[in-house]
Amino acid sequence: MSSAVATREVVMKWRGPIASFMRDTTPEISLEGALSSGKTTACLWKEFNAYQEMPGIHGWIGRFGDGETQTKIRPAFEQVCQEAGCIPSWNAKELAYDFPNGSKAFCYGLKSPDALSRYSKMRGMGVSRIYNDQTEELPEDFSLELRLRLRQPEFPHQLTFSPNPPNVTHWLAQQFPTDNRIP
């Protein structure tokens, strides 16, 4: 017996800096923009595309706080998946989306309730992609710890931040200057 497979084509047209961002394979990238400028949507589409194009790749998407991750990032990512016609299953045990092709997107907040085990939610995680939304909320030491989590072998690694514009003394302004002088 043959069964019809539904095919859904989604065409997203990105322009200007977002179009460049979508193609950028730089190991570390910060998509800075104003409030409600579409940063989160673009980043979630970029992550979704990576999970589709590279079967078996693992990544993490979220914000510093778990509440914001559960109420803002998860629904937004699920909307992207629904629009693309590929609904991954939610793995409550691992707090991750499992894709049919073996890709996995962990989705939880990084802030630990225990100050003594500050990085406990990240330790042991080995992924190829990390997307942190509202990065201006992230303490600098967490950004350094996140970089150590990019260690899944056989896949390209990329760390993506999407902050609202920070002030000039913020760690993001130092690590990602507006003139892009740091590759």
Side-chain angles (χ1 to χ4, degrees):
M1 237 189 251
S2 67
S3 62
V5 177
T7 301
R8 183 169 184 206
E9 182 176 337
V10 176
V11 177
M12 300 293 292
K13 292 186 180 185
W14 307 100
R15 293 181 176 87
I18 299 294
S20 297
F21 164 77
M22 295 301 280
R23 292 185 301 271
D24 195 318
T25 59
T26 306
E28 296 184 10
I29 188 167
S30 179
L31 181 64
E32 181 182 310
L35 183 69
S36 298
S37 64
K39 302 178 303 287
T40 302
T41 301
C43 289
L44 290 174
W45 270 104
K46 184 172 183 161
E47 294 307 305
F48 174 83
N49 290 337
Y51 298 135
Q52 294 304 298
E53 293 166 6
M54 295 177 268
I57 197 167
H58 291 183
W60 175 86
I61 57 175
R63 287 177 62 171
F64 184 55
D66 195 54
E68 295 82 4
T69 298
Q70 299 306 316
T71 61
K72 294 179 177 66
I73 299 304
R74 280 195 59 199
F77 188 64
E78 289 170 6
Q79 179 66 37
V80 165
C81 294
Q82 184 175 12
E83 288 175 12
C86 177
I87 311 296
S89 60
W90 176 248
N91 181 331
K93 183 178 180 182
E94 293 186 313
L95 300 176
Y97 292 100
D98 291 328
F99 287 84
N101 67 0
S103 295
K104 183 181 292 278
F106 295 95
C107 189
Y108 51 84
L110 298 174
K111 186 176 181 181
S112 173
D114 181 6
L116 295 176
S117 53
R118 185 166 168 82
Y119 309 116
S120 63
K121 290 186 167 188
M122 288 186 284
R123 295 275 163 93
M125 178 173 62
V127 296
S128 289
R129 304 189 61 78
I130 292 175
Y131 165 51
N132 178 251
D133 186 55
Q134 299 294 316
T135 312
E136 73 278 3
E137 300 171 349
L138 189 73
E140 182 177 16
D141 59 317
F142 274 80
S143 77
L144 302 173
E145 187 72 21
L146 281 173
R147 289 173 169 98
L148 298 174
R149 305 300 128 215
L150 291 169
R151 57 189 179 152
Q152 184 185 14
E154 301 177 24
F155 291 99
H157 298 162
Q158 188 169 51
L159 172 70
T160 303
F161 292 144
S162 67
N164 288 312
N167 67 45
V168 294
T169 60
H170 194 280
W171 65 265
L172 276 164
Q174 305 304 310
Q175 290 183 21
F176 298 92
T178 56
D179 63 5
N180 291 323
R181 69 181 175 276
I182 301 173

